[in-house]
Amino acid sequence: MKFIIVTGLSGAGKSEAMKALEDIGFYCVDNLPPTLISKFAEICYQSKGAIEKIALGIDIRGRSFFNDLNESLEMLKKFGYEYEILFLDCSDNTLVKRYKTTRRNHPLSSNTDIVEGIKKEREILKELKERSNNIINTSNMKPRDLKEEINKTYTNGDISSNLIISVTSFGFKHGIPMDADLVFDVRFLPNPYYIEELREKTGDEIVVREYVMKSDISIQFFEKLVDMIDFLIPQYIKEGKNHLVIAIGCTGGRHRSVTISNLLYDFLKEKNYSVLKKHRDHTLR
């Protein structure tokens, strides 16, 4: 089991870090009172694999509760529950700018003295930072950069498994899928609809696939399509995208779009991507 305690300076990006961890499969609980950590860990470790990755967000908002954190961590160690601490750090100047931008006050500022609040928090978190397994300084990071760093740190650099690709065939006469990220129009390919013995079949059948793919245009198009998709996917992964919907459309969504979607699905499966396939309209008339 992967058990991570996410903490650090207020305004350093803990909420963004928790979102990033959730996107890569962590069960995330934010601002849990430290006194409950050991009990929560016990429940998770007894779940028999139902929960394999947990991230707990702990910060100074807990005020008096935060003082119990060291004791709770010692309890985890005593019970044999392994854990890691991710500490988010940031420069004072950047933190001040972030608070000024959001027009919020630091949780330890008694009035409007943000700098004094940051100073107090650094002192309180000093020991915790020293025992942290990973420290990420977000001073020059945008949320996207932090997400990428989280992915690298907690997926061993392999984040392709976090992207789920959905390949959907559809018919333009029934409308474009609302959730589509990429839409490709294949109405220029040979149309089996005009072949009487193929009209009632779909692109799932080999005779229809052979008819659609018999032309040089079809072959060239598919080669260019997979070349572009093969280029784009790593860029989406780098951006931190978790779900990519590729929609392939023809007139009715029964023949050409189904054929190309099936071929694209097979291509992506061979590349070991997590891919789903859906033929939205191939049973419609």
Side-chain angles (χ1 to χ4, degrees):
M1 178 181 290
K2 195 76 169 178
F3 195 99
I4 300 174
I5 295 173
V6 183
T7 189
L9 293 167
S10 301
K14 183 175 67 69
S15 295
E16 293 298 329
M18 293 290 282
K19 291 177 185 177
L21 288 167
E22 188 172 30
D23 286 342
I24 58 176
F26 277 81
Y27 180 81
C28 296
V29 179
D30 197 12
N31 211 26
L32 183 74
T35 52
L36 299 179
I37 289 178
S38 58
K39 185 62 178 178
F40 182 77
E42 179 184 353
I43 294 172
C44 293
Y45 272 91
Q46 291 177 356
S47 67
K48 298 180 180 179
I51 304 177
E52 295 183 349
K53 297 192 292 184
I54 301 107
L56 296 183
I58 306 293
D59 61 31
I60 206 66
R61 286 177 300 168
R63 303 297 176 105
S64 60
F65 287 122
F66 194 82
N67 297 327
D68 300 320
L69 181 56
N70 287 332
E71 183 179 345
S72 296
L73 295 181
E74 289 301 320
M75 290 291 288
L76 290 180
K77 185 177 180 181
K78 177 181 178 181
F79 293 145
Y81 298 143
E82 296 184 1
Y83 66 90
E84 296 181 20
I85 299 176
L86 168 62
F87 190 96
L88 298 171
D89 200 358
C90 191
S91 70
D92 289 2
N93 288 339
T94 302
L95 288 174
V96 171
K97 289 179 182 178
R98 290 177 183 175
Y99 278 108
K100 291 291 187 181
T101 300
T102 59
R103 297 183 178 180
R104 298 182 65 189
N105 204 10
H106 190 279
L108 294 185
S109 296
S110 56
N111 38 55
T112 58
D113 193 346
I114 296 175
V115 175
E116 187 62 28
I118 295 173
K119 182 179 179 181
K120 290 179 181 179
E121 188 176 24
R122 283 196 185 280
E123 186 61 31
I124 293 172
L125 296 177
K126 182 179 179 181
E127 182 180 345
L128 188 60
K129 180 180 179 180
E130 292 175 350
R131 60 192 298 182
S132 297
N133 302 86
N134 293 296
I135 298 175
I136 299 178
N137 191 308
T138 67
S139 300
N140 299 311
M141 284 187 174
K142 296 179 180 179
R144 171 180 169 177
D145 301 323
L146 176 57
K147 184 170 186 175
E148 184 176 349
E149 187 66 26
I150 293 289
N151 287 339
K152 288 180 181 178
T153 303
Y154 294 106
T155 59
N156 297 319
D158 179 19
I159 59 174
S160 62
S161 60
N162 300 318
L163 177 69
I164 298 175
I165 305 170
S166 295
V167 179
T168 302
S169 69
F170 73 96
F172 276 96
K173 71 178 184 179
H174 303 296
I176 298 175
M178 293 182 61
D179 59 347
D181 296 299
L182 301 172
V183 178
F184 296 95
D185 183 349
V186 297
R187 287 176 289 187
F188 61 91
L189 299 181
N191 193 352
Y193 178 83
Y194 296 110
I195 308 299
E196 186 174 350
E197 58 268 29
L198 300 181
R199 184 172 302 161
E200 298 304 315
K201 300 181 184 297
T202 73
D204 282 330
E205 300 182 57
I206 187 65
V207 290
V208 173
R209 177 182 294 196
E210 289 177 346
Y211 180 83
V212 172
M213 298 304 296
K214 70 178 181 180
S215 75
D216 290 339
I217 292 297
S218 299
I219 295 172
Q220 289 179 40
F221 166 73
F222 187 72
E223 289 176 350
K224 293 179 183 297
L225 174 66
V226 296
D227 184 56
M228 181 170 64
I229 295 296
D230 203 29
F231 166 77
L232 288 175
I233 289 176
Q235 313 312 315
Y236 287 128
I237 291 173
K238 184 177 179 180
E239 182 198 6
K241 196 172 183 64
N242 298 107
H243 191 198
L244 175 67
V245 179
I246 304 173
I248 311 292
C250 62
T251 303
R254 288 175 51 80
H255 301 108
R256 294 166 290 181
S257 61
V258 174
T259 294
I260 298 300
S261 293
N262 286 340
L263 291 172
L264 180 58
Y265 172 82
D266 292 340
F267 169 81
L268 294 172
K269 288 293 286 185
E270 290 179 2
K271 302 283 285 187
N272 293 319
Y273 288 117
S274 297
V275 57
L276 306 172
K277 179 173 63 176
K278 176 183 178 182
H279 298 313
R280 193 191 71 179
D281 303 328
H282 77 320
T283 60
L284 301 179
R285 291 289 187 269

